[in-house]
Amino acid sequence: MNITLSRDSQVRVMESTVANAERYFGQFCSLLAAYTRKTARLRDKADQLVKQLVDFANTESPELRATLRDFAEDLAQVQDYRQAEVERLEAKVVMPLKLYGAQIKQTRAEIKKFKRVQKNEMKQLEKLEKLRQKVPSDRQVISQAETHVQRASVDARRTTHQLEETVDNFQRQKLRDLQRFFLDFVTIEMVFHAKAVEVYSRAFQTLENYDLEGDLQDFRAKMHGAPGHCQAQSLSGANPSPCVPWPPANQDARSTARSHRKGDVESEHSVEQFPLEDLGAQEQGLRP
């Protein structure tokens, strides 16, 4: 009986471990999916800002036009990096968390199997005790009941050992996966921010070097009826500034990438926890 109580305690620890994994991994999945959607929406808003900068630049004086051309190109390149950030978060963090439910479901099934075996052992023990009280002199009946108890106990010990290995492996895998998920998350964020700082530094210099006086002279000349010192040039015909090699390396490639992602993540979903058992079967992406 003491052994049975010890097994009950073991099962409670195992069930608590699996339940916590189901709860918190589900929450992590929901929050990180929402984080990725928000990042994608930020990318889309920045693309809109780039378009507005281009439209505005084509109405302005030559110095400002050139400055805004370079600034818009840098800002667009940051959004290409952000697109890579979104794709990597989805592939390396969100999707593995979505699929984690299958592992939890399998471990739950093993615990339920053990509880059935344990219940049968308890049933046989109770039956034996009743027989000993009811017919203590009937050795044959009691001997058969003792045999059934022995078989149930052997089965319970074997199942307990298997379950201990299963849950131990589950815990080890859970800890390893949790470490990997957040290592990937931090690495993806570090790479994006390192690249973004590089481009933003260049954009800062571009804006800081803007020749405001040159544009003012051009504006005053036009206001007094004299032609400006430089003819207007459309930004769409300007040569793009050089790009750092991550991800697309030329303007056409970046323009194509931005056109592919146009309209992504148009609707924001609420952050809510959902059962991990259903995650493996769901094909819901991060974009509507």
Side-chain angles (χ1 to χ4, degrees):
M1 187 62 68
N2 289 336
I3 294 176
T4 302
L5 293 175
S6 175
R7 288 171 185 165
D8 283 339
S9 177
Q10 280 184 300
V11 170
R12 283 195 295 271
V13 172
M14 294 173 182
E15 287 182 317
S16 176
T17 298
V18 176
N20 284 339
E22 181 179 30
R23 175 187 175 190
Y24 288 103
F25 275 55
Q27 291 176 345
F28 291 148
C29 185
S30 294
L31 290 169
L32 287 166
Y35 180 97
T36 306
R37 289 195 298 270
K38 288 284 189 180
T39 303
R41 288 176 66 83
L42 178 60
R43 171 209 63 201
D44 292 343
K45 291 298 182 183
D47 280 343
Q48 294 176 19
L49 177 58
V50 168
K51 183 180 183 302
Q52 291 298 313
L53 284 169
V54 170
D55 292 343
F56 177 67
N58 285 330
T59 69
E60 285 296 318
S61 303
E63 292 294 336
L64 183 58
R65 182 183 303 118
T67 298
L68 289 181
R69 174 201 66 188
D70 293 338
F71 175 57
E73 179 64 23
D74 288 339
L75 188 57
Q77 187 170 350
V78 171
Q79 305 324 305
D80 292 337
Y81 294 152
R82 206 183 302 276
Q83 170 68 11
E85 176 195 14
V86 168
E87 292 174 353
R88 292 173 182 183
L89 284 172
E90 184 176 352
K92 289 182 170 291
V93 180
V94 177
M95 285 307 298
L97 277 168
K98 281 187 175 183
L99 299 174
Y100 210 82
Q103 213 162 349
I104 291 177
K105 188 175 182 179
Q106 181 179 356
T107 306
R108 276 191 179 281
E110 292 295 326
I111 293 176
K112 288 180 179 178
K113 177 183 176 182
F114 170 74
K115 290 176 75 173
R116 287 195 299 268
V117 172
Q118 186 184 39
K119 185 177 180 180
N120 180 58
E121 182 186 22
M122 288 294 298
K123 182 180 177 181
Q124 297 301 328
L125 281 169
E126 290 173 358
K127 184 177 179 180
L128 175 60
E129 289 301 318
K130 288 180 181 179
L131 287 173
R132 282 174 174 170
Q133 294 176 8
K134 188 176 180 179
V135 285
S137 60
D138 194 341
R139 292 303 307 164
Q140 183 177 0
V141 172
I142 292 176
S143 177
Q144 288 178 349
E146 288 175 342
T147 301
H148 292 156
V149 168
Q150 186 178 8
R151 289 175 180 173
S153 297
V154 169
D155 194 17
R157 283 196 297 271
R158 183 178 64 253
T159 307
T160 300
H161 180 69
Q162 293 173 348
L163 183 61
E164 286 175 352
E165 289 186 349
T166 298
V167 176
D168 186 79
N169 290 335
F170 171 82
Q171 181 71 357
R172 178 187 296 274
Q173 188 67 41
K174 183 194 77 175
L175 298 175
R176 183 185 294 118
D177 287 342
L178 189 68
Q179 179 188 38
R180 178 170 55 86
F181 293 154
F182 284 105
L183 277 175
D184 286 340
F185 173 79
V186 172
T187 300
I188 292 165
E189 292 296 292
M190 285 196 303
V191 170
F192 165 73
H193 284 90
K195 294 293 183 179
V197 166
E198 181 181 347
V199 180
Y200 278 136
S201 298
R202 187 173 66 210
F204 180 88
Q205 290 299 321
T206 296
L207 294 170
E208 193 174 50
N209 295 334
Y210 166 56
D211 184 6
L212 183 148
E213 291 299 326
D215 269 351
L216 276 176
Q217 292 176 12
D218 186 77
F219 173 74
R220 290 163 182 164
K222 289 180 180 179
M223 189 168 57
H224 290 89
H229 69 270
C230 182
Q231 293 182 350
Q233 295 179 356
S234 172
L235 178 60
S236 60
N239 292 326
S241 60
C243 306
V244 292
W246 190 85
N250 56 65
Q251 176 63 30
D252 291 338
R254 288 196 303 276
S255 298
T256 301
R258 287 193 287 274
S259 67
H260 283 324
R261 69 173 188 253
K262 183 179 180 182
D264 285 349
V265 195
E266 291 297 331
S267 62
E268 182 63 27
H269 302 290
S270 62
V271 180
E272 58 184 19
Q273 185 181 358
F274 41 90
L276 276 173
E277 282 90 341
D278 299 329
L279 290 176
Q282 290 178 358
E283 292 297 332
Q284 178 183 1
L286 297 185
R287 301 173 182 172

